[in-house]
Amino acid sequence: PGKWDTDRAPYQREIMDTVKDPEVDEVVLMTSAQVGKTEIINNVIGYFMHHDPSPMLVVQPTLSMAEAYSKDRLSGMIRDTPALRNIIGDAKAKKTGNTLLHKSFPGGHITLAGSNSPASLASRPVRIVLFDEVDRFPFSAGTEGDPVSLGKKRTTTFLNRVCGLVSTPTKKGASRIELSYEQSDKRLFHVPCPECGAFQFLDFKRLTWPEGEPLKAVFACSENGCEIPHVKKQEILKKGRWVKTGDETSRKAGFHLNELYSPWKTWAQIAEDYESAKKSEETLKTFVNTSLGLPYESQGDVPDWEMLYKRKGGYKRNEIPQEVLFLTMGVDVQKDRIELEI
């Protein structure tokens, strides 16, 4: 409760600042739960309402989720923030231009839409479009096509347009947010080791604890193996910095975060969650998506490669062995070619 303080979660500062960077066309946020991504969206909305009034569109996975977001999050922020309350007015006053899914203010308006509703996506032009939980969007909004593309088209007439995609990822290879992040400059938040000063990404693989004792979880420094306890997390977060690990020339700013950075989740709790989740593939998938902020890749029933390799024969290229009865061909369609294998 109380006034917003970015120092509680310092990694949020650059994400929010980048929304106003003229060198960036799109901001992509691929994260776990518990890192404050919805509050980042709220702050972006509040900033443009108050300091740079513009027409905005916020797209949720469904219309019912858009209504719930308006009631539970947006209305509360407007009610509790005097600067916003003064320009929006009382939601109970039956004021023209102020409804559950559409709110007007001097110089702009905000519309809330569902990705499953073509009508709500085909509204008036907007300068800012924010997509929340894009991995929960359907492949097509009715028969109109990709809802993200439909939403982006609403910004075409604005040279200073702002586009944001936010989501926890789902299945590897079929994740919208993963694809967008891979096309971005791929920023990771590096923090210093309190002992040796080495900057590093908080990778879950370096969270260690004795077998069966997750309460003893510590982070092992990638440089010198120093053991960093959870109580040091807030200290190192304040000294952290975002590092681009992808194409630095990309006009897509991509940010990835996992729960190890969360001020609201201890490393011991994350270790406990993993101990419980690893017992089945379904719970492990949820852990990878919502705690690590990564797409899940199913292992499947793949035979041991060494066993297959030992069975290889001495065949020559373009010669069919006598015992072969018929041929098969696999086809894989790429962006610029078709791959064939017989």
Side-chain angles (χ1 to χ4, degrees):
K3 291 185 177 180
W4 176 269
D5 182 6
T6 307
D7 284 338
R8 287 289 308 281
Y11 50 78
Q12 296 177 339
R13 183 172 281 106
E14 184 171 324
I15 298 171
M16 293 187 288
D17 285 345
T18 303
V19 172
K20 285 287 288 181
D21 187 343
E23 299 299 315
V24 172
D25 291 336
E26 192 171 297
V27 178
V28 179
L29 188 52
M30 183 175 77
T31 78
S32 65
Q34 302 294 329
V35 293
K37 62 180 183 292
T38 302
E39 291 306 320
I40 291 173
I41 292 174
N42 287 349
N43 286 347
V44 170
I45 293 170
Y47 172 84
F48 282 106
M49 280 183 173
H50 185 207
H51 292 286
D52 191 1
S54 307
M56 291 183 272
L57 174 67
V58 178
V59 185
Q60 295 284 341
T62 65
L63 264 179
S64 60
M65 290 178 72
E67 291 175 353
Y69 170 77
S70 180
K71 292 176 185 176
D72 302 339
R73 307 303 287 267
L74 184 60
S75 296
M77 179 181 70
I78 293 170
R79 180 195 65 223
D80 297 335
T81 309
L84 300 181
R85 188 169 64 243
N86 291 340
I87 61 175
I88 294 289
D90 188 354
K92 297 178 181 179
K94 301 295 181 183
K95 180 182 174 183
T96 302
N98 188 352
T99 65
L100 188 62
L101 295 177
H102 183 82
K103 302 180 187 300
S104 297
F105 48 88
H109 58 82
I110 180 168
T111 300
L112 295 136
S115 66
N116 62 337
S117 170
S120 65
L121 292 172
S123 59
R124 66 202 80 178
V126 293
R127 178 188 164 200
I128 293 107
V129 58
L130 304 172
F131 302 95
D132 193 12
E133 292 299 346
V134 294
D135 271 21
R136 276 75 183 170
F137 286 14
F139 288 110
S140 179
T143 58
E144 303 293 320
D146 175 38
V148 174
S149 299
L150 291 174
K152 285 182 179 179
K153 282 182 180 179
R154 306 273 68 80
T155 68
T156 302
T157 56
F158 290 87
L159 292 176
N160 58 346
R161 67 184 70 94
V162 176
C163 177
L165 279 78
V166 179
S167 190
T168 51
T170 49
K171 186 178 179 182
K172 189 169 183 64
S175 166
R176 271 195 178 93
I177 201 71
E178 178 199 19
L179 176 61
S180 294
Y181 180 74
E182 289 298 324
Q183 295 170 343
S184 74
D185 55 18
K186 300 170 69 173
R187 304 183 196 191
L188 298 176
F189 198 68
H190 286 215
V191 293
C193 171
E195 287 191 39
C196 68
F199 273 81
Q200 60 208 283
F201 170 68
L202 293 180
D203 191 336
F204 174 72
K205 294 175 183 176
R206 302 202 65 80
L207 191 67
T208 63
W209 62 92
E211 183 69 31
E213 298 183 78
L215 293 178
K216 295 182 180 180
V218 294
F219 186 84
C221 168
S222 61
E223 192 73 24
N224 296 302
C226 316
E227 292 190 349
I228 308 172
H230 173 78
V231 293
K232 293 282 186 180
K233 179 160 71 173
Q234 204 61 25
E235 172 191 327
I236 62 178
L237 284 181
K238 289 181 179 179
K239 299 175 182 176
R241 62 190 183 213
W242 285 100
V243 176
K244 296 178 182 179
T245 63
D247 180 7
E248 293 195 14
T249 65
S250 175
R251 292 185 64 88
K252 274 190 181 185
F255 300 88
H256 168 57
L257 284 164
N258 60 46
E259 269 191 339
L260 270 72
Y261 290 91
S262 174
W264 306 283
K265 201 77 182 275
T266 67
W267 290 343
Q269 287 172 325
I270 296 169
E272 281 187 298
D273 289 347
Y274 176 72
E275 289 278 334
S276 300
K278 68 179 183 179
K279 295 174 184 177
S280 79
E281 185 172 10
E282 281 306 308
T283 53
L284 183 60
K285 176 183 176 181
T286 301
F287 177 82
V288 171
N289 291 162
T290 62
S291 291
L292 304 188
L294 293 171
Y296 182 76
E297 185 172 16
S298 179
Q299 299 303 308
D301 298 321
V302 180
D304 180 63
W305 71 270
E306 291 178 323
M307 177 190 73
L308 291 175
Y309 187 75
K310 289 175 182 176
R311 295 184 62 181
K312 70 182 187 297
Y315 304 121
K316 294 181 180 178
R317 186 180 296 273
N318 298 326
E319 287 188 11
I320 303 174
Q322 187 64 41
E323 62 270 24
V324 169
L325 300 180
F326 60 88
L327 302 179
T328 63
M329 181 171 69
V331 183
D332 188 21
V333 181
Q334 302 290 329
K335 279 187 177 180
D336 58 349
R337 67 194 187 281
I338 295 179
E339 294 279 357
L340 312 175
E341 183 174 299
I342 297 175

